[in-house]
Protein backbone atom coordinates (compact mmCIF):
# COMPACT_ATOMS: atom_id res chain seq x y z
CA UNK A 1 0.00 0.00 0.00
CA UNK A 2 1.59 3.26 -1.09
CA UNK A 3 -0.64 5.90 0.47
CA UNK A 4 -3.29 6.59 3.10
CA UNK A 5 -6.79 7.98 3.00
CA UNK A 6 -5.62 11.29 4.44
CA UNK A 7 -8.23 13.84 5.45
CA UNK A 8 -11.11 11.77 4.02
CA UNK A 9 -10.77 9.24 6.85
CA UNK A 10 -12.88 11.09 9.42
CA UNK A 11 -15.45 12.63 7.09
CA UNK A 12 -19.05 11.45 6.79
CA UNK A 13 -20.21 9.26 3.91
CA UNK A 14 -21.93 11.34 1.22
CA UNK A 15 -25.09 9.35 0.51
CA UNK A 16 -26.22 11.89 -2.09
CA UNK A 17 -23.64 10.54 -4.55
CA UNK A 18 -23.24 7.32 -6.51
CA UNK A 19 -20.67 4.88 -5.14
CA UNK A 20 -19.63 3.65 -8.61
CA UNK A 21 -20.21 4.77 -12.22
CA UNK A 22 -23.70 3.73 -13.31
CA UNK A 23 -22.55 1.49 -16.22
CA UNK A 24 -20.71 -0.74 -13.70
CA UNK A 25 -24.03 -2.16 -12.48
CA UNK A 26 -25.95 -4.69 -14.61
CA UNK A 27 -29.43 -3.30 -13.96
CA UNK A 28 -28.26 -0.16 -15.81
CA UNK A 29 -28.46 -2.19 -19.05
CA UNK A 30 -32.11 -3.18 -18.56
CA UNK A 31 -35.37 -1.45 -19.41
CA UNK A 32 -36.40 -1.74 -15.75
CA UNK A 33 -33.60 0.61 -14.69
CA UNK A 34 -35.00 3.46 -16.78
CA UNK A 35 -38.30 3.14 -14.93
CA UNK A 36 -36.81 3.54 -11.46
CA UNK A 37 -36.92 6.88 -9.67
CA UNK A 38 -33.68 8.78 -9.12
CA UNK A 39 -33.78 7.82 -5.44
CA UNK A 40 -34.20 4.14 -6.31
CA UNK A 41 -31.38 4.26 -8.86
CA UNK A 42 -29.09 5.88 -6.30
CA UNK A 43 -29.90 3.23 -3.71
CA UNK A 44 -29.33 0.41 -6.19
CA UNK A 45 -26.00 1.94 -7.24
CA UNK A 46 -24.82 2.15 -3.64
CA UNK A 47 -25.90 -1.41 -2.88
CA UNK A 48 -24.15 -2.68 -6.01
CA UNK A 49 -21.02 -0.70 -5.16
CA UNK A 50 -20.77 -2.54 -1.84
CA UNK A 51 -21.39 -5.84 -3.63
CA UNK A 52 -18.49 -5.03 -6.00
CA UNK A 53 -16.29 -4.66 -2.93
CA UNK A 54 -17.51 -8.07 -1.72
CA UNK A 55 -16.50 -9.60 -5.06
CA UNK A 56 -12.99 -8.21 -4.78
CA UNK A 57 -12.64 -9.36 -1.17
CA UNK A 58 -13.88 -12.83 -2.02
CA UNK A 59 -11.45 -13.27 -4.91
CA UNK A 60 -8.55 -11.96 -2.87
CA UNK A 61 -9.36 -14.13 0.15
CA UNK A 62 -10.55 -17.36 -1.50
CA UNK A 63 -8.44 -17.38 -4.67
CA UNK A 64 -5.43 -15.06 -4.53
CA UNK A 65 -4.47 -15.87 -0.94
CA UNK A 66 -4.20 -19.68 -1.37
CA UNK A 67 -2.63 -19.33 -4.83
CA UNK A 68 0.09 -17.00 -3.61
CA UNK A 69 0.72 -18.97 -0.41
CA UNK A 70 1.24 -22.10 -2.51
CA UNK A 71 3.50 -20.39 -5.04
CA UNK A 72 5.66 -19.08 -2.23
CA UNK A 73 6.34 -22.71 -1.27
CA UNK A 74 7.67 -23.36 -4.79
CA UNK A 75 11.36 -23.10 -5.77
CA UNK A 76 11.19 -19.51 -7.02
CA UNK A 77 14.02 -17.13 -7.68
CA UNK A 78 14.63 -14.60 -4.91
CA UNK A 79 13.29 -11.63 -6.88
CA UNK A 80 10.07 -13.42 -7.80
CA UNK A 81 9.55 -14.65 -4.24
CA UNK A 82 9.92 -11.09 -2.91
CA UNK A 83 7.39 -9.83 -5.46
CA UNK A 84 4.85 -12.52 -4.59
CA UNK A 85 5.23 -11.93 -0.85
CA UNK A 86 4.53 -8.23 -1.43
CA UNK A 87 1.61 -9.22 -3.68
CA UNK A 88 0.13 -11.39 -0.90
CA UNK A 89 0.59 -8.72 1.78
CA UNK A 90 -1.09 -6.11 -0.40
CA UNK A 91 -4.04 -8.38 -1.20
CA UNK A 92 -4.65 -8.84 2.53
CA UNK A 93 -4.46 -5.07 3.03
CA UNK A 94 -7.02 -4.63 0.25
CA UNK A 95 -9.41 -7.03 1.94
CA UNK A 96 -9.18 -5.08 5.21
CA UNK A 97 -9.57 -1.75 3.41
CA UNK A 98 -12.66 -2.82 1.46
CA UNK A 99 -14.19 -4.44 4.55
CA UNK A 100 -13.79 -1.13 6.40
CA UNK A 101 -15.33 0.78 3.49
CA UNK A 102 -18.43 -1.44 3.39
CA UNK A 103 -18.87 -1.24 7.16
CA UNK A 104 -18.54 2.53 7.04
CA UNK A 105 -21.01 2.91 4.18
CA UNK A 106 -23.60 0.28 5.16
CA UNK A 107 -23.11 -0.77 8.77
CA UNK A 108 -26.63 -2.24 8.85
CA UNK A 109 -25.58 -4.85 6.27
CA UNK A 110 -22.01 -5.60 7.37
CA UNK A 111 -22.06 -5.50 11.17
CA UNK A 112 -22.09 -9.33 11.41
CA UNK A 113 -20.22 -10.46 8.29
CA UNK A 114 -17.96 -9.24 5.50
CA UNK A 115 -20.38 -10.73 2.97
CA UNK A 116 -24.03 -9.86 2.64
CA UNK A 117 -24.77 -10.51 -1.05
CA UNK A 118 -22.21 -13.27 -1.67
CA UNK A 119 -23.46 -16.41 0.05
CA UNK A 120 -21.16 -19.27 -0.89
CA UNK A 121 -21.73 -22.36 1.30
CA UNK A 122 -18.86 -22.88 3.74
CA UNK A 123 -18.00 -26.29 2.28
CA UNK A 124 -17.81 -24.88 -1.25
CA UNK A 125 -15.60 -22.01 -0.10
CA UNK A 126 -13.31 -24.49 1.67
CA UNK A 127 -13.08 -26.68 -1.44
CA UNK A 128 -12.37 -23.66 -3.65
CA UNK A 129 -9.52 -22.56 -1.41
CA UNK A 130 -8.06 -26.08 -1.41
CA UNK A 131 -8.16 -26.35 -5.21
CA UNK A 132 -6.85 -22.80 -5.73
CA UNK A 133 -4.00 -23.70 -3.38
CA UNK A 134 -2.62 -26.13 -6.00
CA UNK A 135 -1.63 -23.69 -8.78
CA UNK A 136 0.70 -26.15 -10.52
CA UNK A 137 -2.32 -28.38 -11.22
CA UNK A 138 -4.90 -25.60 -11.46
CA UNK A 139 -3.15 -22.54 -12.95
CA UNK A 140 -6.58 -21.45 -14.22
CA UNK A 141 -6.92 -19.52 -10.95
CA UNK A 142 -3.93 -17.37 -11.85
CA UNK A 143 -5.61 -16.63 -15.18
CA UNK A 144 -8.76 -15.71 -13.26
CA UNK A 145 -6.73 -13.41 -11.00
CA UNK A 146 -5.14 -11.83 -14.07
CA UNK A 147 -8.52 -11.22 -15.70
CA UNK A 148 -10.20 -9.84 -12.59
CA UNK A 149 -7.27 -7.67 -11.55
CA UNK A 150 -7.00 -6.14 -15.00
CA UNK A 151 -10.73 -5.43 -14.82
CA UNK A 152 -10.13 -3.84 -11.39
CA UNK A 153 -7.56 -1.53 -13.03
CA UNK A 154 -10.19 -0.42 -15.56
CA UNK A 155 -12.71 -0.08 -12.72
CA UNK A 156 -10.35 2.05 -10.64
CA UNK A 157 -9.34 4.31 -13.53
CA UNK A 158 -12.98 4.99 -14.38
CA UNK A 159 -13.72 5.82 -10.74
CA UNK A 160 -10.82 8.29 -10.69
CA UNK A 161 -11.94 9.78 -14.02
CA UNK A 162 -15.43 10.39 -12.62
CA UNK A 163 -14.31 11.26 -9.10
CA UNK A 164 -16.25 14.53 -8.88
CA UNK A 165 -19.56 12.67 -9.30
CA UNK A 166 -18.78 9.81 -6.90
CA UNK A 167 -18.72 9.31 -3.14
CA UNK A 168 -15.30 10.46 -1.81
CA UNK A 169 -14.64 7.41 0.41
CA UNK A 170 -15.19 5.10 -2.57
CA UNK A 171 -12.91 7.25 -4.72
CA UNK A 172 -10.17 7.33 -2.07
CA UNK A 173 -10.28 3.57 -1.40
CA UNK A 174 -10.30 2.56 -5.05
CA UNK A 175 -7.50 5.00 -5.82
CA UNK A 176 -5.35 3.08 -3.34
CA UNK A 177 -6.54 -0.24 -4.74
CA UNK A 178 -5.71 0.87 -8.28
CA UNK A 179 -2.14 1.84 -7.34
CA UNK A 180 -1.42 -1.74 -6.29
CA UNK A 181 -3.49 -3.56 -8.91
CA UNK A 182 -1.44 -2.11 -11.79
CA UNK A 183 1.60 -3.90 -10.36
CA UNK A 184 -0.41 -7.03 -9.58
CA UNK A 185 -1.43 -7.38 -13.23
CA UNK A 186 2.26 -7.33 -14.17
CA UNK A 187 3.03 -10.01 -11.56
CA UNK A 188 0.14 -12.16 -12.80
CA UNK A 189 1.60 -12.01 -16.30
CA UNK A 190 5.10 -12.85 -15.07
CA UNK A 191 3.81 -15.80 -13.05
CA UNK A 192 1.84 -17.18 -16.02
CA UNK A 193 4.81 -16.68 -18.34
CA UNK A 194 6.82 -18.85 -15.95
CA UNK A 195 4.16 -21.46 -15.09
CA UNK A 196 1.82 -21.95 -18.08
CA UNK A 197 4.45 -23.20 -20.59
CA UNK A 198 5.65 -25.64 -17.90
CA UNK A 199 2.15 -27.10 -17.64
CA UNK A 200 1.49 -30.24 -19.69
CA UNK A 201 -0.68 -29.62 -22.79
CA UNK A 202 -3.47 -31.94 -21.61
CA UNK A 203 -3.55 -30.18 -18.24
CA UNK A 204 -3.61 -26.81 -19.97
CA UNK A 205 -6.63 -27.90 -22.01
CA UNK A 206 -8.45 -29.11 -18.91
CA UNK A 207 -7.70 -25.85 -17.10
CA UNK A 208 -8.88 -23.76 -20.04
CA UNK A 209 -12.21 -25.61 -20.14
CA UNK A 210 -12.68 -25.29 -16.38
CA UNK A 211 -11.89 -21.57 -16.63
CA UNK A 212 -14.42 -21.21 -19.42
CA UNK A 213 -17.07 -22.83 -17.21
CA UNK A 214 -16.24 -20.60 -14.23
CA UNK A 215 -16.37 -17.42 -16.29
CA UNK A 216 -19.61 -18.46 -17.99
CA UNK A 217 -21.27 -19.56 -14.76
CA UNK A 218 -20.16 -16.82 -12.36
CA UNK A 219 -18.84 -13.86 -14.34
CA UNK A 220 -21.25 -13.40 -17.25
CA UNK A 221 -25.02 -13.42 -16.75
CA UNK A 222 -25.99 -11.63 -13.51
CA UNK A 223 -27.53 -14.10 -11.09
CA UNK A 224 -27.28 -15.23 -7.48
CA UNK A 225 -25.62 -12.30 -5.69
CA UNK A 226 -26.72 -9.80 -8.34
CA UNK A 227 -30.31 -10.89 -7.77
CA UNK A 228 -29.82 -10.45 -4.03
CA UNK A 229 -28.80 -6.83 -4.65
CA UNK A 230 -32.12 -6.22 -6.41
CA UNK A 231 -33.98 -8.05 -3.64
CA UNK A 232 -32.37 -5.71 -1.11
CA UNK A 233 -33.44 -2.74 -3.23
CA UNK A 234 -37.02 -4.01 -2.99
CA UNK A 235 -36.70 -4.29 0.79
CA UNK A 236 -35.68 -0.64 0.84
CA UNK A 237 -38.51 0.32 -1.54
CA UNK A 238 -41.44 -2.07 -0.93
CA UNK A 239 -43.46 -0.42 -3.70
CA UNK A 240 -41.11 -2.21 -6.14
CA UNK A 241 -42.19 -5.64 -4.90
CA UNK A 242 -44.48 -6.40 -7.84
CA UNK A 243 -41.69 -5.50 -10.27
CA UNK A 244 -39.13 -7.83 -8.72
CA UNK A 245 -39.81 -10.78 -11.11
CA UNK A 246 -39.44 -8.45 -14.09
CA UNK A 247 -36.10 -7.10 -12.81
CA UNK A 248 -34.84 -10.61 -12.12
CA UNK A 249 -35.76 -11.79 -15.62
CA UNK A 250 -34.14 -8.80 -17.27
CA UNK A 251 -30.93 -9.29 -15.31
CA UNK A 252 -30.66 -12.97 -16.25
CA UNK A 253 -31.35 -12.13 -19.90
CA UNK A 254 -28.23 -9.94 -20.01
CA UNK A 255 -26.33 -13.10 -20.93
CA UNK A 256 -27.35 -12.28 -24.50
CA UNK A 257 -26.81 -8.51 -24.21
CA UNK A 258 -23.82 -7.43 -26.32
CA UNK A 259 -23.38 -4.12 -24.51
CA UNK A 260 -23.16 -5.85 -21.13
CA UNK A 261 -20.81 -8.54 -22.46
CA UNK A 262 -18.53 -5.93 -23.98
CA UNK A 263 -18.39 -4.15 -20.63
CA UNK A 264 -17.31 -7.40 -18.98
CA UNK A 265 -14.84 -8.93 -21.43
CA UNK A 266 -13.88 -6.57 -24.23
CA UNK A 267 -10.37 -5.51 -25.19
CA UNK A 268 -11.22 -2.04 -23.88
CA UNK A 269 -11.55 -3.49 -20.38
CA UNK A 270 -9.06 -6.40 -20.28
CA UNK A 271 -6.70 -5.93 -23.27
CA UNK A 272 -3.67 -7.68 -21.76
CA UNK A 273 -5.65 -10.71 -20.59
CA UNK A 274 -7.30 -11.20 -23.97
CA UNK A 275 -3.99 -10.78 -25.81
CA UNK A 276 -2.37 -13.43 -23.60
CA UNK A 277 -5.34 -15.80 -23.97
CA UNK A 278 -5.02 -15.40 -27.73
CA UNK A 279 -1.48 -16.79 -27.67
CA UNK A 280 -2.68 -20.24 -26.65
CA UNK A 281 -4.96 -22.50 -28.77
CA UNK A 282 -6.54 -24.11 -25.71
CA UNK A 283 -8.34 -20.83 -25.03
CA UNK A 284 -10.30 -20.99 -28.29
CA UNK A 285 -13.10 -22.22 -26.02
CA UNK A 286 -13.53 -18.61 -24.84
CA UNK A 287 -14.62 -17.35 -28.26
CA UNK A 288 -18.33 -17.38 -27.43
CA UNK A 289 -17.83 -15.58 -24.10
CA UNK A 290 -15.54 -12.74 -25.16
CA UNK A 291 -17.20 -10.58 -27.83
CA UNK A 292 -14.02 -9.48 -29.63
CA UNK A 293 -11.75 -12.41 -28.82
CA UNK A 294 -10.03 -13.75 -31.93
CA UNK A 295 -6.89 -15.83 -31.76
CA UNK A 296 -4.19 -15.69 -34.37
CA UNK A 297 -2.01 -18.73 -34.88
CA UNK A 298 1.36 -18.49 -33.14
CA UNK A 299 4.30 -20.76 -32.59
CA UNK A 300 2.57 -21.97 -29.42
CA UNK A 301 0.08 -23.88 -31.62
CA UNK A 302 2.78 -26.41 -32.27
CA UNK A 303 3.49 -27.01 -28.59
Amino acid sequence: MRATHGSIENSAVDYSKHFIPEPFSPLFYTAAYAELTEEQRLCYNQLHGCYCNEQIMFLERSVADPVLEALLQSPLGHAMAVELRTFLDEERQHTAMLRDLNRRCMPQLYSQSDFYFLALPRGVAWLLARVAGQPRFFPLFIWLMFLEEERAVFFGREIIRQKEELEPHFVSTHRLHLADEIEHVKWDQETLTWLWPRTAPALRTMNARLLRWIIGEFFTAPKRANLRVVEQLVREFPDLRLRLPEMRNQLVSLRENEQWNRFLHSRTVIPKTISDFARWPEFDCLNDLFPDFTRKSTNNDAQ
Side-chain angles (χ1 to χ4, degrees):
M1 205 64 67
R2 298 172 177 79
T4 63
H5 288 275
S7 61
I8 194 69
E9 183 67 26
N10 297 317
S11 64
V13 175
D14 187 349
Y15 292 103
S16 71
K17 291 191 172 185
H18 290 90
F19 285 178
I20 57 175
E22 286 186 276
F24 285 11
S25 56
L27 199 64
F28 172 82
Y29 297 89
T30 68
Y33 187 79
E35 298 172 359
L36 298 178
T37 67
E38 287 298 322
E39 184 182 10
Q40 290 164 349
R41 291 183 194 177
L42 179 63
C43 180
Y44 169 73
N45 179 277
Q46 293 173 349
L47 291 168
H48 192 79
C50 289
Y51 162 58
C52 288
N53 291 342
E54 286 189 39
Q55 277 189 308
I56 297 170
M57 285 192 290
F58 177 79
L59 287 166
E60 290 178 343
R61 181 183 297 176
S62 299
V63 176
D65 199 292
V67 165
L68 293 170
E69 283 279 18
L71 287 174
L72 284 166
Q73 306 305 313
S74 302
L76 307 170
H78 175 72
M80 190 173 187
V82 169
E83 286 184 344
L84 292 183
R85 171 54 62 184
T86 301
F87 192 166
L88 178 59
D89 291 344
E90 289 176 350
E91 293 287 50
R92 290 172 175 172
Q93 291 174 36
H94 295 168
T95 297
M97 181 174 66
L98 293 167
R99 177 197 304 123
D100 290 347
L101 178 62
N102 275 2
R103 288 179 178 175
R104 174 187 290 270
C105 292
M106 294 193 177
Q108 73 279 15
L109 300 186
Y110 296 103
S111 61
Q112 302 299 318
S113 173
D114 296 345
F115 300 100
Y116 183 79
F117 300 112
L118 278 169
L120 200 65
R122 184 173 299 178
V124 175
W126 177 86
L127 179 61
L128 173 62
R130 290 294 298 270
V131 174
Q134 301 182 61
R136 286 185 173 275
F137 292 99
F138 299 103
L140 69 99
F141 291 105
I142 307 176
W143 283 106
L144 183 62
M145 288 167 58
F146 182 22
L147 186 157
E148 291 302 316
E149 287 179 319
E150 188 173 24
R151 181 183 289 132
V153 169
F154 173 82
F155 186 97
R157 284 173 173 162
E158 285 298 298
I159 285 178
I160 301 308
R161 188 175 68 83
Q162 301 182 42
K163 62 183 179 181
E164 300 303 324
E165 290 77 47
L166 301 176
E167 203 287 320
H169 291 86
F170 259 75
V171 173
S172 177
T173 298
H174 283 280
R175 187 193 300 275
L176 295 177
H177 190 237
L178 171 64
D180 290 332
E181 291 300 275
I182 291 171
E183 195 72 10
H184 293 184
V185 168
K186 179 176 77 73
W187 292 341
D188 288 330
Q189 282 188 295
E190 290 177 356
T191 303
L192 286 166
T193 298
W194 167 71
L195 180 58
W196 193 248
R198 291 172 169 79
T199 303
L203 192 56
R204 290 204 304 256
T205 298
M206 182 197 75
N207 272 265
R209 291 175 180 173
L210 281 172
L211 180 63
R212 188 239 177 270
W213 178 80
I214 290 172
I215 293 171
E217 182 65 21
F218 298 103
F219 295 92
T220 305
K223 49 188 174 182
R224 300 184 183 89
N226 268 292
L227 299 182
R228 295 187 191 107
V229 175
V230 174
E231 289 163 3
Q232 182 62 30
L233 175 67
V234 171
R235 292 188 192 100
E236 309 252 352
F237 294 92
D239 55 309
L240 292 174
R241 181 171 53 84
L242 295 177
R243 297 186 56 197
L244 180 57
E246 171 194 1
M247 289 191 284
R248 283 174 174 158
N249 290 337
Q250 289 186 18
L251 280 174
V252 173
S253 71
L254 287 179
R255 177 182 290 275
E256 308 301 327
N257 185 291
E258 182 178 358
Q259 192 179 12
W260 169 247
N261 284 314
R262 292 194 68 80
F263 167 74
L264 290 176
H265 298 135
S266 71
R267 288 182 182 271
T268 301
V269 179
I270 50 169
K272 294 179 181 179
T273 310
I274 289 180
S275 292
D276 280 12
F277 278 146
R279 295 180 55 234
W280 299 93
E282 51 267 29
F283 288 118
D284 284 353
C285 62
L286 298 176
N287 281 331
D288 62 327
L289 292 182
F290 290 12
D292 56 3
F293 176 64
T294 53
R295 189 183 63 81
K296 297 179 180 178
S297 296
T298 71
N299 291 335
N300 290 317
D301 286 8
Q303 294 183 14

